[in-house]
Amino acid sequence: MRAVVQNDKNRSLFRLMVRPPLRALFGPSFRLSSRSSSRLSFRSLSRLSSRLSFRSSVRKVGLRCGAAALASAAVVSGCAAPGPDSAAHPAPGQPPARRDPARALDSYATRLAAERARLAAAARRWGLVGTPLSPPAPPATKPTITARKGFEVDGQEEEHLPPVFTTVPTKQKIVFLTIDDGAEKDPAFLRMMSDLKIPYSAFLSNYLIKDNYSYFRTMQSQGHTLNNHTLTHPYLPGLSYEEQKGEICGMQAVMKRRFGKAPTVFRPPYGNYNGDTLRAAKACGIKYAPIWDEEVFVDHWEYREWDRSLHPGDIVLTHFRGRNDWNGTMVDDMRRFLDKVTAEGYAVARLEDYL
């Protein structure tokens, strides 16, 4: 009989000390029966307290009091048992306790959902039809890049010349965005691509960027790669080997001086080249010479292939252009590009991750 009375007192103490702070946390509709109260433990309330540590100090105090009351009641009634979380915190210098894997996974999922919501909001803000798809992780083993059939030059393999290619070999539904020359320097374009986290590679000519190197340094700081597109954008096959080398190596020197690194990727202006172009490029430290499979404009697309379609691994070209050259802006151009690739199930990946 005395044990029954003691248990009743414990339950009353529990309701008095624990129920008010829990109602403060979960709202006035929160209900806690005697049966559920007997199933709660000091351990579970301690976990709850640590999860909700950001709540107000008043709520914290209430929860601690409730947890203490419950622990006391459980000990008196003989229902409490020490668990792994009941140990004291490690002494200074000792390793911290391991994080709960389930809690870490839940935190990651929450962050991932929040980022997807942010991207969806950014897509609406920039006037896109849908949210751009996220690319897969870069491949652990890079694909082997060779010259596209019919795009080789004499001595291509024997001299190990930079391959000219239009597509990266992959089965994943990804495309690569490349932007040429550097004439238009639209701040809205930088904001848009940063908001949407769309990777791209810029192929720059010095005569068009020298009035505003800082614009492209900002681009570089956002994680985009700056590549070589010659000093003055000439028709290279019309120049001698030495002249071509001057154009390519000269731009390498500019890139090193202005952006801290000489690239290993080069695109010949207009996509035109000959054997001397690739030999000069190799002498200047170039390893790859990608051109393109599709080109996007503000108001239309153009295709190299007969099927007029995107393919996994395709390289897409556009230019730094604005209203002076097109009936639209860089933002309009990117809107057309992203709406198409997203609608067809493609993500935009970073070209240099596959080279």
Side-chain angles (χ1 to χ4, degrees):
M1 182 66 179
R2 185 176 300 174
V4 172
V5 173
Q6 183 63 52
N7 285 338
D8 288 341
K9 289 182 179 180
N10 292 339
R11 293 190 186 98
S12 297
L13 179 61
F14 174 87
R15 294 191 189 99
L16 179 65
M17 299 301 293
V18 178
R19 185 179 293 169
L22 290 181
R23 282 186 174 176
L25 289 172
F26 299 110
S29 61
F30 178 79
R31 293 292 184 270
L32 190 65
S33 67
S34 298
R35 179 177 297 177
S36 61
S37 67
S38 65
R39 292 178 181 175
L40 287 173
S41 67
F42 177 80
R43 176 182 175 183
S44 60
L45 280 179
S46 297
R47 285 183 174 176
L48 180 60
S49 177
S50 64
R51 286 186 182 180
L52 302 174
S53 60
F54 61 88
R55 300 297 181 97
S56 68
S57 59
V58 174
R59 292 177 180 178
K60 284 183 179 179
V61 170
L63 187 56
R64 291 193 189 102
C65 291
L70 179 59
S72 177
V75 169
V76 172
S77 61
C79 297
D85 290 352
S86 63
H89 292 290
Q94 296 298 314
R98 291 184 179 181
R99 290 187 62 190
D100 182 354
R103 187 176 301 174
L105 183 61
D106 182 64
S107 176
Y108 171 76
T110 299
R111 292 196 305 272
L112 190 64
E115 176 61 11
R116 290 302 298 168
R118 188 198 67 77
L119 287 175
R124 290 192 296 271
R125 187 165 59 252
W126 289 105
L128 301 182
V129 174
T131 304
L133 303 175
S134 297
T141 302
K142 304 293 181 72
T144 300
I145 305 295
T146 58
R148 175 171 169 155
K149 187 176 181 180
F151 287 57
E152 312 94 333
V153 299
D154 291 341
Q156 179 79 53
E157 294 186 2
E158 295 83 354
E159 299 177 50
H160 304 289
L161 299 178
V164 176
F165 56 102
T166 63
T167 299
V168 172
T170 180
K171 294 181 180 179
Q172 296 175 315
K173 291 196 73 173
I174 55 174
V175 295
F176 305 99
L177 175 62
T178 62
I179 312 177
D180 278 9
D181 64 46
E184 182 73 9
K185 304 165 185 69
D186 185 352
F189 164 77
L190 293 182
R191 293 195 301 272
M192 178 187 195
M193 303 304 267
S194 178
D195 281 354
L196 296 171
K197 292 191 173 181
I198 303 299
Y200 57 90
S201 303
F203 290 82
L204 305 178
S205 292
N206 191 55
Y207 85 109
L208 291 172
I209 69 171
K210 62 184 179 181
D211 63 333
N212 193 353
Y213 290 120
S214 64
Y215 179 85
F216 298 96
R217 277 193 287 269
T218 299
M219 185 181 294
Q220 183 183 43
S221 72
Q222 293 175 348
H224 308 292
T225 306
L226 309 183
N227 293 318
N228 189 324
H229 200 44
T230 73
L231 288 171
T232 64
H233 205 274
Y235 174 72
L236 289 174
L239 303 181
S240 68
Y241 169 80
E242 290 298 332
E243 289 171 329
Q244 293 193 56
K245 185 177 177 182
E247 280 284 340
I248 300 169
C249 288
M251 191 59 191
Q252 291 288 83
V254 170
M255 301 292 282
K256 175 72 173 178
R257 183 169 64 254
R258 297 294 181 177
F259 305 112
K261 182 180 180 181
T264 59
V265 184
F266 157 75
R267 173 174 286 161
Y270 315 107
N272 295 130
Y273 61 95
N274 59 15
D276 282 346
T277 307
L278 300 185
R279 291 183 186 92
K282 179 182 176 182
C284 298
I286 297 300
K287 297 181 179 179
Y288 302 97
I291 49 177
W292 60 92
D293 213 46
E294 295 87 20
E295 184 171 2
V296 62
F297 298 82
V298 167
D299 54 358
H300 70 284
W301 282 72
E302 293 182 0
Y303 302 87
R304 188 179 299 273
E305 311 300 338
W306 64 270
D307 61 358
R308 299 178 60 80
S309 299
L310 294 173
H311 314 90
D314 276 0
I315 299 170
V316 180
L317 165 68
T318 193
H319 288 80
F320 290 98
R321 293 288 187 270
R323 293 193 182 278
N324 290 337
D325 301 286
W326 288 345
N327 185 28
T329 65
M330 287 290 294
V331 170
D332 297 326
D333 186 40
M334 290 299 97
R335 191 178 294 120
R336 176 172 287 275
F337 166 73
L338 290 170
D339 281 346
K340 179 178 177 63
V341 300
T342 303
E344 296 189 15
Y346 285 86
V348 184
R350 182 175 177 269
L351 176 62
E352 289 74 16
D353 286 340
Y354 289 74
L355 302 182

